[in-house]
Amino acid sequence: MIRLAANLSMLFTEHDFLARFAAAAEAGFRGVEYLFPYAHTPQVLRTSLDESGLEQVLFNLPPGDWEGGERGLASLPGREAEFRDSVVEALHYAEALDCPRVHAMAGLLPPDADGGAREDARAAHHACYVANLRFAAREAAKLDREVLIEPINTRDMPGFFLSRQDQAMAVLEEVGEPNLRLQFDLYHCQIMEGDLTRHLERQFSRIGHVQVAGVPERHEPDIGEVHYPALFARLEALGYGGWVGCEYRPAAGTRAGLDWGRNYGLLP
């Protein structure tokens, strides 16, 4: 049975953040994810999870200056010490929240690099990325946690270093740590490459988490060009036992749009 997790950074935004846990539970979700936990203490978040009977399934490492436009630190040369500190902080939260996996956002390429300069920048980012991910995975392994990497489409996030599935798979192979896995967001993959079922099948052994949203507007999964029931059926046939994160923007209120998940335990 597909297990759905509410992304509290996008769903239930009708409520203050801490009230979203109870709202998600009342709507039938049994797990939650969100971008970042760091605005609250681990103890406050732990209480919200326990009172709602929810599991924490995913969150991101600190991303750098998010408000200033940064989108992760993992591939940024010269920021290695800051990245290592972010790993320590994220794993502290992961332990307190009993969260089995964290996502290390890759970061952005320099916007002023083009031609040969851009290739040089990409090579430097790649070397930094591999070294940082190897450090993060080895630290996470000490606590029996996974680190995830996620290709993100360059329409929503121009300049993002990791944008294609084959690039992600090559990085996983090069880093060589078994607890470094793929965060397979079907929305991002559809925008960049399509061929979702075949990507899912080829990469299945390396997938640690799945996320969904309608394409192209990032609304509910039953809005747009992707037929999610077929993809969910394929996930089940392959034996997927993880979570499916609902990382979409409701078109007209969260509960009003949950009918798509009725067959998976949600309560519109």
Side-chain angles (χ1 to χ4, degrees):
M1 181 73 177
I2 293 295
R3 296 190 297 165
L4 299 177
N7 187 298
L8 299 186
S9 298
M10 292 191 176
L11 302 187
F12 303 104
T13 57
E14 306 89 339
H15 306 279
D16 291 336
F17 181 75
L18 293 177
R20 296 174 198 174
F21 291 82
E26 290 167 2
F29 288 100
R30 294 294 172 261
V32 292
E33 61 180 41
Y34 37 74
L35 291 180
F36 311 111
Y38 311 107
H40 303 278
T41 67
Q43 293 76 19
V44 166
L45 296 171
R46 179 76 264 169
T47 297
S48 296
L49 291 167
D50 292 343
E51 289 179 347
S52 303
L54 293 166
E55 293 184 42
Q56 182 74 49
V57 305
L58 176 71
F59 59 83
N60 297 334
L61 271 65
D65 182 5
W66 183 265
E67 297 300 324
E70 291 189 327
R71 293 297 181 261
L73 299 169
S75 78
L76 303 189
R79 305 283 291 277
E80 291 87 350
E82 188 177 349
F83 177 78
R84 291 185 175 217
D85 289 343
S86 80
V87 171
V88 172
E89 183 176 12
L91 291 176
H92 171 67
Y93 271 82
E95 277 200 286
L97 303 179
D98 197 22
C99 183
R101 61 193 65 82
V102 293
H103 169 215
M105 295 186 72
L108 305 177
L109 287 165
D112 56 349
D114 56 23
R118 191 169 185 84
E119 288 306 307
D120 289 345
R122 179 169 286 280
H125 276 248
H126 177 83
C128 180
Y129 193 42
V130 168
N132 276 340
L133 290 175
R134 189 170 288 131
F135 168 82
R138 290 175 178 176
E139 290 301 302
K142 297 174 184 177
L143 302 173
D144 196 26
R145 314 286 164 179
E146 293 180 345
V147 176
L148 306 183
I149 61 172
E150 177 190 25
I152 295 177
N153 82 77
T154 53
R155 186 169 71 202
D156 286 356
M157 205 169 284
F160 196 73
F161 175 74
L162 184 69
S163 62
R164 300 187 66 84
Q165 303 298 315
D166 59 351
Q167 181 190 3
M169 295 301 288
V171 168
L172 294 177
E173 187 69 24
E174 185 173 354
V175 174
E177 299 294 333
N179 66 322
L180 182 68
R181 297 174 64 77
L182 177 67
Q183 184 169 316
F184 185 40
D185 189 312
L186 291 152
Y187 165 81
H188 292 305
C189 184
Q190 173 66 8
I191 291 172
M192 294 299 295
E193 303 175 65
D195 202 18
L196 296 178
T197 299
R198 293 296 177 253
H199 278 299
L200 173 62
E201 292 168 343
R202 284 192 295 268
Q203 300 169 176
F204 182 73
S205 66
R206 304 305 302 270
I207 291 174
H209 189 63
V210 173
Q211 291 177 320
V212 298
V215 181
E217 301 298 337
R218 207 169 192 173
H219 292 322
E220 284 81 356
D222 61 343
I223 300 174
E225 67 197 42
V226 178
H227 184 57
Y228 277 106
L231 291 164
F232 287 165
R234 191 70 190 118
L235 273 172
E236 289 184 321
L238 289 167
Y240 182 65
W243 292 88
V244 174
C246 300
E247 192 182 37
Y248 63 85
R249 301 183 186 93
T254 304
R255 287 297 287 268
L258 290 183
D259 194 65
W260 71 269
R262 190 184 296 272
N263 291 336
Y264 308 104
L266 299 188
L267 305 171

